[in-house]
Amino acid sequence: SALLGSHAKAGTILDFFKRGGGSSTPSAASKVPDPILFVVPAGVMEQWCREFQKWMKLSVDVFHGPDRLDLIPRLQRGFVRVVIASYETFRIDIEKLAAIKWNCIFFDEIHKIKNRSSLAARCCTLLTCKRRFGLTGTVMQNNFDELWTLIEFVNPGYLGSLDEFRRSTVNPIKTGQIH
């Protein structure tokens, strides 16, 4: 699909749902497992909804617009399975979204949080979830700190602190480039 940008991205999401990460939308009376959050550019939110409906027969709740906060009580009561939010509403309403225990979080165009001091990147650290995924076609552009930031989001602590990563990985690579 043009929305997902590559078959690999689509396959990752579909495989996650096939392995039990998702289920069909519950009835209003039934509680579901912790919800899944997708944070995407605002311009593709409707496309994401259509893709879920087309490929998974799964409806989603959109956290966007003037009535978006009406979704919070339903999330807190466990009646929502999948939520799509724009980066803008994610940043604006991070306190509300951070109060939710998420099953997992997907960031489409995760390179939007590559600057660890940006508001979006700082907001990411406030979320509680079991799994994190980042989708992008542009991981980094010659900046190892950006790579560390993205990996730190999807797998916290894996590369150690930023200083440890620079000492153990970045400096040897840069030294090797000189020779």
Side-chain angles (χ1 to χ4, degrees), residues 11 23 25 30 36 50 57 60 75 80 82 87 114 117 123 169:
S23 63
T25 303
S30 64
I36 298 165
R50 284 193 301 271
K57 306 298 182 228
V60 298
L75 273 164
V80 176
V82 178
Y87 276 91
K114 66 186 177 183
S117 62
C123 289
T169 305

Side-chain angles (χ1 to χ4, degrees), residues 63-136:
F63 188 77
H64 192 74
D67 298 327
R68 68 185 178 273
L69 295 179
D70 295 346
L71 185 59
I72 297 297
R74 291 183 52 230
L75 273 164
Q76 292 168 330
R77 290 191 311 270
F79 297 139
V80 176
R81 184 70 185 126
V82 178
V83 175
I84 296 179
S86 69
Y87 276 91
E88 294 78 14
T89 55
F90 167 73
R91 287 189 301 261
I92 291 167
D93 294 316
I94 187 57
E95 290 180 15
K96 303 268 191 235
L97 295 171
I100 306 297
K101 181 182 172 195
W102 300 97
N103 182 330
C104 65
I105 301 168
F106 287 86
F107 273 78
D108 185 22
E109 305 297 341
I110 194 172
H111 59 271
K112 289 182 177 279
I113 65 165
K114 66 186 177 183
N115 177 348
R116 72 182 186 283
S117 62
S118 71
L119 180 57
R122 290 192 320 264
C123 289
C124 291
T125 65
L126 301 174
L127 299 169
T128 302
C129 63
K130 297 174 188 169
R131 296 173 211 87
R132 301 165 187 221
F133 299 91
L135 308 174
T136 188

Side-chain angles (χ1 to χ4, degrees), residues 6 34 48 62 65 72 117 139 160:
S6 73
D34 295 336
W48 270 98
V62 176
I72 297 297
S117 62
V139 177

Side-chain angles (χ1 to χ4, degrees), residues 144 169-179:
F144 291 102
T169 305
V170 176
N171 292 343
I173 289 171
K174 287 182 176 182
T175 301
Q177 289 174 343
I178 295 170
H179 299 299

